[in-house]
Amino acid sequence: LFRMENGSLPPKTEGFVSRMALNDNKAGMEGLDRDKINKIIMETSKGSKFYENELKREQQVNQRIEMMLQKEQITEQQLKKAQAQVERMVAELEESRDLTRAIVHVDMDAFYAAVEMRDCPELKDKPMAVGSMSMLSTSNYLARKYGVRAAMPGFIAKKLCPHLVIVPTNFDKYRAVSNEIREIFTDYDPGFMPVSLDEAYLDFTEHVEKRQSWPESLRTRRYRASTTTTGEESGKLAQEAAPGTPDLSPVLFEDSPSSSSNSEDAGDAFEIFGTSVEEAVREMRFRIEQKTMLTASAGIAPNMMLAKVCSDKNKPNGQYRLPPTREAVMEFVCDLPVRKVSGVGKVSEKLLSALGISSCSHLGQKMALLSLLFSETSWHHFLQVSLGLGSAFIPRHEERKSMSTERTFKEMSAVEEQLSLCHELCEDLANDLKKEGLKGKTVTLKLKNVNFEVKTRALTLPYPVATADEIFTVAKDLLKTERDNESPQPLRLRLMGVRVSAFVSSDHKKPLQRSIVGFLNSGRGESGSSQRAKQQHLKENSQLSSSSQIWPLGCQRARAKRLQLQAAAASTTQQAGLGTSPPPVSGKTDASGRCPDGGSPALVCPICLLSQDDDDLGMFNRHVDLCLN
DNA sequence: TACATACAC
DNA sequence: GATGGTGTATGTA
């Protein structure tokens, strides 16, 4: 069972850097001439600093593989023991398998490219990509046929496809479209989780439940401006239908059926969607197309990991539902290439492939071995994947943990130039931090030299910083240290970046918010999205979502009161946190970090509504937690 | 905490 | 001529 296929798996061509080869596991990349494309990529890259660095990284990975294969000499004894442990864990995980949720992953098709094509008809029948000569963000399906894809530099793409049109990015435009589709998402799951501008996870479970008892009119989508709409949605729908003729969406892929052409065939003035999840998702995609003239693909599955894979299955402009049965899931996962799973990238793929693992079923077969070769978190993740398990609920949006800005430029070696750039970065970063009212204690400087070698240097202060000068004071010091380190050689840089992390303000507010939100929702049952709460979604104006009906009036008042208390407590908290001000101690705080004026206001527990004598926030939070339990 | 790596988009 | 920017997680020291 073990120690059989030793190593010989990756077909190694001499001097071939597999890290740089075409990634053809994305949609629209089937059946093209890989070898020819890779040859062009390699020829164009060969000899560049970038290439040399990639070669180095490749060798590092190869070394890791060697070390791993040495460890593979494992006694039967050990393996048996590991196998037993794996089996125990499998049983445990099986126990917890949840097939009751309908998780949806939506993904706009060739998003940036599609937006540009929509707004510039000239582009519709041309291979095009969005980005620059240095880097492409995405490409349309016509360009993909030439091997042109996201994360490829434009000058290489041009070699692959000389007629390629490269359009610069218009982030503001993409953001605007993103907001439009997110409005639609909210109607199906107000707690949806955005992944990026064009991608999101939604929990459709509750929507589908409600949908069963809806009148047909609520499931009717008009796409002719002429018809009058009925019901509470009329305004919205009329607006969405306003763009009129449905055949304006850019044709992304010649062979792909477009829902627009379907509607033309039907020749009807409206369409009624059914009550199933699939119909609901179809409806959502239809509304997206009506509103933005862009198409989306979607995957429906019992958990996030599977939904993500499913959304890729019928891309572009398609959807796929994986039935919520153990059998269907296991069959689906069996032949699934590990690389398709989110979280498994180039390196993991290569490591696994060295062990003879390329599909998820292999993953399951070799789990005992994997448990001995990989870290606990890694093999636990592999195990879950091999069983088709993933998160069946969509986690609440997390607070951000860091904020950074970085820039690439032509070689820069002069100290003064580097310093002024560093200062500029600090200013930009301080600006961004200000927008979110953040202060952090850790400043990290990132440097990349002309050989593409990356270094980070960090310093954690005893107090939080936020202004450009505060950050710069630290960053320039880190830069100086690094310069001294390399001297007398100058730092020949091609990139510099500054990051601030270890935030304090949110750190204090967060646990409290969580507790209160948890309390407010505790009456609504335990499952999935109902547990999540984003204040923004509690606003009442959405027709489809139930948010305005969730709270009985009395309850709303209580909620308002508690939120008030929460705010008060939070501001108290921030004051208490002033002990962390920077050195020239401000006159407003004394050494203990207490507010000198008026003493410390008593904290009130939002649950039991009793004043807490202790004004220590930690104690207070523990009290709230006790109350919640 | 510091740093490097892997990963996603 | 030319290979990005932003953010998270994790392993290790």
Side-chain angles (χ1 to χ4, degrees):
Chain A
L1 193 99
F2 65 107
R3 204 187 292 179
M4 9 188 236
E5 48 240 310
N6 233 347
S8 64
L9 287 138
K12 280 188 202 163
T13 318
E14 212 52 55
F16 181 83
V17 190
S18 67
R19 309 174 44 84
M20 297 191 56
L22 180 74
N23 238 338
D24 60 355
N25 70 345
K26 280 282 176 239
M29 303 242 97
E30 303 82 13
L32 28 70
D33 194 342
R34 267 189 72 140
D35 289 349
K36 192 178 155 196
I37 290 166
N38 281 329
K39 198 171 159 226
I40 296 177
I41 293 177
M42 292 306 163
E43 277 168 5
T44 314
S45 302
K46 206 120 190 174
S48 68
K49 300 281 194 185
F50 179 82
Y51 177 90
E52 297 301 324
N53 188 253
E54 288 298 290
L55 209 95
K56 201 178 94 188
R57 311 262 321 250
E58 174 109 15
Q59 280 158 5
Q60 285 171 6
V61 174
N62 286 339
Q63 275 201 334
R64 252 179 94 176
I65 290 176
E66 300 243 326
M67 284 171 48
M68 190 177 73
L69 292 179
Q70 273 176 23
K71 272 210 280 180
E72 205 188 350
Q73 317 300 322
I74 284 165
T75 64
E76 186 120 21
Q77 196 46 258
Q78 286 173 292
L79 207 59
K80 260 197 164 145
K81 202 176 147 197
Q83 185 61 45
Q85 210 209 339
V86 165
E87 273 157 30
R88 273 201 307 278
M89 185 133 251
V90 168
E92 212 174 285
L93 287 170
E94 266 314 331
E95 198 73 23
S96 71
R97 188 189 288 271
D98 182 353
L99 295 165
T100 64
R101 314 296 300 179
I103 305 297
V104 175
H105 179 259
V106 210
D107 193 344
M108 299 295 288
D109 303 320
F111 187 47
Y112 300 172
V115 172
E116 299 303 334
M117 284 163 76
R118 177 193 70 178
D119 296 346
C120 179
E122 321 275 282
L123 294 172
K124 286 187 183 177
D125 53 351
K126 296 187 177 70
M128 61 87 65
V130 177
S132 69
M133 259 330 216
S134 310
M135 187 53 58
L136 302 181
S137 291
T138 186
S139 55
N140 69 3
Y141 281 82
L142 231 52
R144 290 184 196 190
K145 292 201 165 158
Y146 296 84
V148 173
R149 52 156 301 141
M152 177 181 278
F155 69 91
I156 289 182
K158 279 280 201 182
K159 296 244 158 134
L160 294 172
C161 173
H163 299 304
L164 181 73
V165 180
I166 298 180
V167 180
T169 48
N170 279 298
F171 271 102
D172 292 339
K173 205 151 79 172
Y174 313 145
R175 244 189 302 275
V177 179
S178 183
N179 288 332
E180 291 187 290
I181 64 176
R182 286 179 187 185
E183 273 181 37
I184 295 176
F185 293 163
T186 305
D187 290 339
Y188 296 90
D189 175 10
F192 76 91
M193 184 177 96
V195 180
S196 60
L197 290 182
D198 78 310
E199 218 177 284
Y201 289 96
L202 293 80
D203 187 338
F204 262 59
T205 318
E206 281 157 35
H207 169 81
V208 173
E209 269 169 35
K210 284 185 212 136
R211 198 179 172 86
Q212 304 311 309
S213 52
W214 275 7
E216 244 185 28
S217 64
L218 281 177
R219 293 184 272 112
T220 305
R221 301 291 156 186
R222 297 173 193 282
Y223 53 85
R224 295 263 163 95
S226 56
T227 35
T228 350
T229 48
T230 54
E232 42 187 80
E233 286 205 287
S234 56
K236 197 182 222 165
L237 271 181
Q239 201 189 6
E240 279 173 22
T245 53
D247 56 343
L248 291 176
S249 304
V251 179
L252 288 167
F253 197 63
E254 293 154 17
D255 313 327
S256 84
S258 135
S259 60
S260 321
S261 50
N262 286 346
S263 357
E264 269 181 346
D265 290 348
D268 285 323
F270 59 86
E271 198 164 332
I272 301 174
F273 291 90
T275 58
S276 65
V277 218
E278 282 170 288
E279 283 293 293
V281 170
R282 217 165 268 134
E283 176 190 275
M284 176 181 68
R285 294 200 298 119
F286 178 81
R287 290 178 63 194
I288 290 172
E289 189 175 356
Q290 291 300 296
K291 194 171 182 178
T292 67
M293 300 191 295
L294 302 167
T295 60
S297 297
I300 307 162
N303 65 55
M304 293 172 72
M305 177 255 145
L306 293 169
K308 167 89 199 187
V309 179
C310 289
S311 71
D312 205 51
K313 194 126 181 146
N314 286 324
K315 206 161 227 312
N317 198 16
Q319 64 183 61
Y320 180 84
R321 169 169 168 269
L322 177 56
T325 66
R326 205 194 96 92
E327 301 70 55
V329 168
M330 292 312 284
E331 194 196 322
F332 181 82
V333 131
C334 183
D335 289 323
L336 184 66
V338 289
R339 187 61 171 85
K340 291 267 182 192
V341 178
S342 179
V344 178
K346 283 177 191 182
V347 174
S348 305
E349 179 188 32
K350 198 167 171 182
L351 294 179
L352 291 172
S353 133
L355 298 169
I357 297 167
S358 58
S359 73
C360 291
S361 55
H362 299 155
L363 214 50
Q365 290 156 17
K366 303 233 169 170
M367 198 50 64
L369 179 59
L370 292 175
S371 78
L372 296 170
L373 296 179
F374 287 81
S375 72
E376 191 174 66
T377 18
S378 292
W379 77 261
H380 281 186
H381 180 243
F382 289 147
L383 179 55
Q384 299 222 50
V385 169
S386 76
L387 294 169
L389 296 171
S391 178
F393 71 95
I394 295 172
R396 194 181 75 84
H397 188 66
E398 292 282 321
E399 305 282 331
R400 76 152 69 237
K401 298 189 168 148
S402 72
M403 190 181 271
S404 67
T405 181
E406 66 187 59
R407 222 160 286 160
T408 294
F409 36 77
K410 66 177 204 320
E411 174 169 354
M412 185 184 288
S413 310
V415 178
E416 321 81 59
E417 213 179 346
Q418 293 171 351
L419 280 171
S420 88
L421 177 75
C422 182
H423 191 256
E424 194 180 310
L425 289 167
C426 292
E427 279 176 337
D428 292 354
L429 182 55
N431 243 315
D432 294 344
L433 285 167
K434 197 171 174 185
K435 282 179 208 152
E436 297 189 26
L438 294 170
K439 285 171 177 258
K441 291 194 291 186
T442 304
V443 175
T444 305
L445 179 74
K446 177 174 170 181
L447 303 172
K448 190 193 284 182
N449 66 19
V450 291
N451 294 321
F452 289 85
E453 293 161 339
V454 178
K455 271 181 191 159
T456 59
R457 295 292 175 251
L459 184 65
T460 299
L461 306 158
Y463 52 88
V465 294
T467 68
D469 286 343
E470 289 167 337
I471 301 169
F472 183 59
T473 305
V474 182
K476 74 164 194 293
D477 238 60
L478 293 168
L479 182 58
K480 177 171 162 37
T481 307
E482 203 45 39
R483 202 171 347 110
D484 294 348
N485 231 319
E486 298 285 291
S487 85
Q489 259 78 263
L491 297 175
R492 302 178 60 197
L493 304 179
R494 82 177 327 270
L495 171 145
M496 192 186 294
V498 183
R499 176 163 74 245
V500 169
S501 53
F503 295 129
V504 288
S505 52
S506 51
D507 221 45
H508 284 300
K509 282 184 278 185
K510 209 170 57 177
L512 193 52
Q513 258 169 12
R514 275 222 183 113
S515 304
I516 287 170
V517 156
F519 168 77
L520 290 172
N521 281 337
S522 60
R524 288 210 292 146
E526 288 292 278
S527 56
S529 63
S530 57
Q531 288 229 321
R532 279 169 282 118
K534 286 178 164 180
Q535 260 154 303
Q536 63 180 105
H537 295 124
L538 292 176
K539 68 178 193 235
E540 44 249 51
N541 64 357
S542 163
Q543 313 290 342
L544 286 176
S545 97
S546 58
S547 53
S548 54
Q549 274 97 42
I550 289 173
W551 309 98
L553 273 180
C555 193
Q556 277 189 0
R557 200 170 304 137
R559 172 173 154 264
K561 188 172 178 181
R562 290 192 181 103
L563 288 174
Q564 226 176 347
L565 287 163
Q566 169 196 349
S571 73
T572 307
T573 297
Q574 279 187 315
Q575 298 226 335
L578 277 179
T580 52
S581 323
V585 179
S586 97
K588 286 187 184 148
T589 43
D590 64 25
S592 70
R594 286 270 154 72
C595 236
D597 44 338
S600 39
L603 293 168
V604 178
C605 172
I607 312 307
C608 68
L609 297 178
L610 292 175
S611 299
Q612 296 306 298
D613 287 335
D614 205 306
D615 63 352
D616 170 52
L617 186 75
M619 292 291 288
F620 176 68
N621 273 335
R622 276 189 287 282
H623 168 91
V624 174
D625 284 339
L626 279 175
C627 262
L628 284 166
N629 292 332

